[in-house]
Amino acid sequence: MSKELTLKEVGSMFMEAQSLILCFHVNPDGDALGSSVGLARFLKQQGKDVRVFVDDVVNDFYKFMPDIEMVERPEVGTTYDVDLLVVLDASSKDRIGVVGECVKAKTILNIDHHVSNTKFADYLYLDTIAAATGEIMCDLFESMGWATDEKVATLFYTAIIMDCGSFKFSCTRPKTMRMAAKLLECGVQPDDIAEAIDTQKRSTMELLTKVLPTLTFAYGGRVAYIAITNDLYDKSVHTDNFVNYARYIEGVDVAFMVKAVESSVIRVSLRSNKTVDVSEIALGFGGGGHKRASGCTIYASIEEAIKQVLDALGKVL
Ligand code: 5GP
Ligand code: MN
């Protein structure tokens, strides 16, 4: 069980630590990267010894983000001793992979916004109504009176818009937009970021043409899903938004995508349009996330994984 902190206590913890490692979940997204790299940039400017770790490669899709080259993959077998390990945008320890084993920290602090948070760290700042961990960063900087330069603002803005679907998702609050407005005042160029996000690599579009024919409906059209079979899987291809092609279809309540990263290791991305809480479904398979966007891994064949997800959905629909 974690001790929950106030933002001021979180800020003081950062100021007191001299050496810090920031980390986040595997298969990192814009929120994990933006909130962590933005915070790391600021802490470096304060003279801190800061590194940013993820037990994964960062997809080229995120190359447009300032200072993204700061993100390192830790070497297995090496021990990293630090004052403070900060786990951002991750709700459980398994989500940070080997970072949890190779970093030996005096203190572990978790900053997160997932309802499925498992309170695994020594200290926790959890805000489940924040649209993104990037929002929590804005709150932290404001409450501490810390300045956001243009690059930090760009990183936090990217974090926020990637998790709230550019202000389209239900997690978007008036406060989300006020924060975004303040970030624009710091010099963020929203058109440049939108263009970077909307521009797909040819490899992504080529894969999409092969994945769309797998679109299947179930439960009278209330569920739609697509599949990336193992022969089509390519780690370097960015597929995070593919599930939306199943999601935004008339009559669909729940959409999911199954991706065979190995023939019997199936990553599942779940999205809900309204009534169904997909974090409950993901939790049932050892995963987690938010009510409307969750994920898990199922260790079975892709056909069996689809069957298991459909069975679980059948119980709540
Ligand atoms: P995505 O489907 O885009 O991978 O993830 C959707 C949301 O669910 C994100 O907030 C992500 O952090 C969370 N999520 C995805 N997979 C897992 C998982 O295996 N475990 C947990 N705890 N959360 C996950
Ligand atoms: Mn997030």
Side-chain angles (χ1 to χ4, degrees):
M1 213 53 171
S2 311
K3 179 177 181 332
E4 298 214 20
L5 300 181
T6 63
L7 281 175
K8 290 255 189 248
E9 288 169 331
V10 170
S12 308
M13 197 171 268
F14 285 136
M15 287 300 109
E16 278 156 28
Q18 186 46 41
S19 58
L20 305 94
I21 288 177
L22 312 188
C23 70
F24 38 85
H25 58 81
V26 293
N27 190 24
D29 57 15
D31 185 30
L33 292 162
S35 45
S36 306
V37 176
L39 176 63
R41 179 179 164 85
F42 172 80
L43 292 172
K44 276 199 171 179
Q45 289 165 348
Q46 310 312 304
K48 305 289 178 189
D49 172 9
V50 192
R51 297 177 79 169
V52 184
F53 279 3
V54 65
D55 181 21
D56 210 337
V57 287
V58 177
N59 195 284
D60 278 354
F61 177 80
Y62 297 105
K63 284 275 157 71
F64 72 94
M65 295 172 77
D67 287 358
I68 200 76
E69 61 287 350
M70 205 189 269
V71 181
E72 306 170 67
R73 189 171 195 163
E75 272 178 51
V76 180
T78 306
T79 303
Y80 304 87
D81 291 299
V82 281
D83 296 335
L84 185 61
L85 174 67
V86 191
V87 182
L88 295 110
D89 198 39
S91 55
S92 54
K93 200 165 181 193
D94 59 297
R95 293 280 286 151
I96 59 170
V98 301
V99 179
E101 288 137 44
C102 63
V103 176
K104 301 282 173 249
K106 291 182 192 131
T107 308
I108 303 179
L109 165 66
N110 179 206
I111 300 177
D112 188 32
H113 70 129
H114 292 93
V115 279
S116 56
N117 192 283
T118 56
K119 308 197 170 176
F120 65 91
D122 303 321
Y123 296 96
L124 172 66
Y125 185 84
L126 178 66
D127 180 356
T128 57
I129 61 167
T133 304
E135 259 199 27
I136 303 176
M137 286 299 115
C138 291
D139 271 340
L140 172 68
F141 275 57
E142 194 168 296
S143 91
M144 297 305 290
W146 294 345
T148 37
D149 68 16
E150 190 179 316
K151 287 187 175 170
V152 172
T154 298
L155 288 157
F156 291 169
Y157 181 88
T158 306
I160 292 172
I161 65 164
M162 297 284 302
D163 257 26
C164 72
S166 299
F167 313 110
K168 287 186 300 229
F169 299 163
S170 60
C171 57
T172 307
R173 302 177 285 169
K175 184 176 170 181
T176 314
M177 291 197 164
R178 280 196 290 271
M179 283 174 172
K182 282 191 184 156
L183 295 171
L184 293 192
E185 283 164 358
C186 298
V188 169
Q189 299 293 323
D191 52 333
D192 289 349
I193 300 173
E195 191 179 320
I197 290 171
D198 289 344
T199 304
Q200 299 298 337
K201 287 206 164 182
R202 274 177 61 168
S203 57
T204 297
M205 297 314 286
E206 280 158 10
L207 179 59
L208 182 63
T209 64
K210 296 178 187 146
V211 172
L212 277 182
T214 70
L215 178 68
T216 307
F217 294 93
Y219 299 110
R222 291 185 68 196
V223 172
Y225 61 90
I226 52 171
I228 303 180
T229 48
N230 190 241
D231 55 317
L232 292 180
Y233 175 69
D234 179 346
K235 170 90 183 153
S236 68
V237 180
H238 186 249
T239 58
D240 284 6
N241 65 344
F242 280 17
V243 68
N244 290 329
Y245 289 95
R247 176 183 194 172
Y248 295 118
I249 301 174
E250 217 174 11
V252 169
D253 289 328
V254 177
F256 68 93
M257 175 171 83
V258 282
K259 179 158 78 175
V261 297
E262 284 172 38
S263 55
S264 296
V265 180
I266 314 300
R267 283 285 313 152
V268 184
S269 284
L270 289 142
R271 299 291 183 269
S272 165
N273 285 337
K274 264 200 174 68
T275 41
V276 178
D277 179 352
V278 285
S279 74
E280 295 289 338
I281 306 285
L283 269 174
F285 293 104
H290 310 286
K291 281 185 178 167
R292 304 258 186 121
S294 290
C296 58
T297 304
I298 297 179
Y299 299 90
S301 68
I302 197 162
E303 294 81 10
E304 176 61 22
I306 291 170
K307 189 182 167 300
Q308 289 183 16
V309 175
L310 286 174
D311 285 348
L313 286 170
K315 294 187 183 117
V316 295
L317 282 169

